[in-house]
Amino acid sequence: MLTIYDWYNGPYPSRVRIAVAELGLASRVRFISVDLWKGEHKRADFLAKNYSGTLPVLQIEDGSYLAECTAITQYLDALGDVPRLTGTTPRDQGMIHMMNKRAEIEFLDAISVYFHHATAGLGPEVELYQNKEWGLRMRDKALRGARYFDGVLKAQPFVAGDAFSMADITVYAGLVFARIVELEIPAELAGLHAWHARMMERPSVQRWETMHLTDEGTA
């Protein structure tokens, strides 16, 4: 049995929850809530599990803790006979990791900085330092990132090429975060919006979209 510490409707936890659903691992995973709004991810007992104080965190069978969404997804994908989210050839693996990193730096992480610095974020008990100017710059960076991925998705069906991968999950999580912070993605980014509509048809995404609206967050 695997244990995942997360918060049921967090945009970063959504990445791992969607991966779990894509890989058919729900029966092997239990979720333990760590309340972001109460700052539980910054308390000593949680920091003992993940020095970075971020969610999600995977506890594997030997008791070790694995943090960072990419690392967790890589681990989960390796549990099966054939990787489905991280690539099977050296080229595919390289492209997926490159585009996944771009999705983080240019889009998802930039929205996160905007949220924590230019909005109320998680509240004064958690947001001990804010730089609004920096947050607004990251908002603009995220919009530039959205334009970049719009161009990518006008040229190919998925973020890293011809197949769905963890890079698609990361861009989707960016759109989840944009929705949370009410950051409007320009309507003219037709490629990105059409791709998002296709993502919303995937059973794994539909499962998360339904689940995250509940206060239990059960998988």
Side-chain angles (χ1 to χ4, degrees):
M1 197 71 178
L2 302 168
T3 300
I4 294 176
Y5 297 84
D6 75 353
W7 184 242
Y8 69 97
N9 66 353
Y12 287 87
S14 76
R15 296 169 63 183
V16 170
R17 286 187 177 241
I18 291 170
V20 166
E22 283 282 340
L23 298 171
L25 295 173
S27 64
R28 296 180 57 183
V29 175
R30 65 170 182 151
F31 291 91
I32 295 179
S33 291
V34 179
D35 194 329
L36 292 169
W37 297 96
K38 294 180 180 178
E40 291 179 355
H41 57 308
K42 301 299 183 183
R43 296 177 184 172
D45 57 341
F46 184 77
L47 293 175
K49 299 177 179 67
N50 178 19
Y51 170 83
S52 299
T54 57
L55 298 174
V57 173
L58 169 67
Q59 184 176 14
I60 58 181
E61 292 93 333
D62 68 0
S64 301
Y65 294 102
L66 191 61
E68 307 302 335
C69 294
T70 299
I72 295 171
T73 303
Q74 185 84 51
Y75 179 89
L76 296 175
D77 206 24
L79 295 178
D81 294 332
V82 179
R84 295 172 51 195
L85 300 177
T86 56
T88 57
T89 68
R91 181 189 183 279
D92 288 346
Q93 290 168 354
M95 291 296 296
I96 289 168
H97 277 275
M98 177 182 75
M99 295 305 288
N100 186 70
K101 190 65 175 178
R102 287 181 180 176
E104 290 178 333
I105 293 175
E106 305 298 335
F107 192 45
L108 174 59
D109 290 351
I111 296 174
S112 179
V113 174
Y114 167 65
F115 171 71
H116 288 293
H117 285 272
T119 77
L122 294 172
E125 293 186 6
V126 179
E127 309 294 359
L128 301 181
Y129 168 77
Q130 290 185 300
N131 184 327
K132 185 174 182 179
E133 180 183 359
W134 180 242
L136 293 175
R137 289 183 65 180
M138 290 300 100
R139 176 201 61 189
D140 296 343
K141 179 178 181 176
L143 291 173
R144 291 194 299 272
R147 292 187 180 279
Y148 166 74
F149 285 108
D150 176 64
V152 168
L153 291 163
K154 284 176 179 174
Q156 59 194 35
F158 297 99
V159 173
D162 293 329
F164 180 86
S165 73
M166 68 174 173
D168 293 279
I169 298 175
T170 304
V171 174
Y172 173 78
L175 292 173
V176 168
F177 216 156
R179 183 172 63 199
I180 290 171
V181 302
E182 300 181 350
L183 178 61
E184 183 176 357
I185 304 300
E188 65 264 26
L189 303 187
L192 180 59
H193 285 290
W195 168 88
H196 182 250
R198 296 199 310 275
M199 293 303 99
M200 292 291 285
E201 295 175 355
R202 296 187 73 87
S204 61
V205 173
Q206 291 179 349
R207 182 185 180 93
W208 186 81
E209 287 285 344
T210 300
M211 173 278 303
H212 92 280
L213 295 175
T214 72
D215 58 5
E216 305 93 8
T218 53

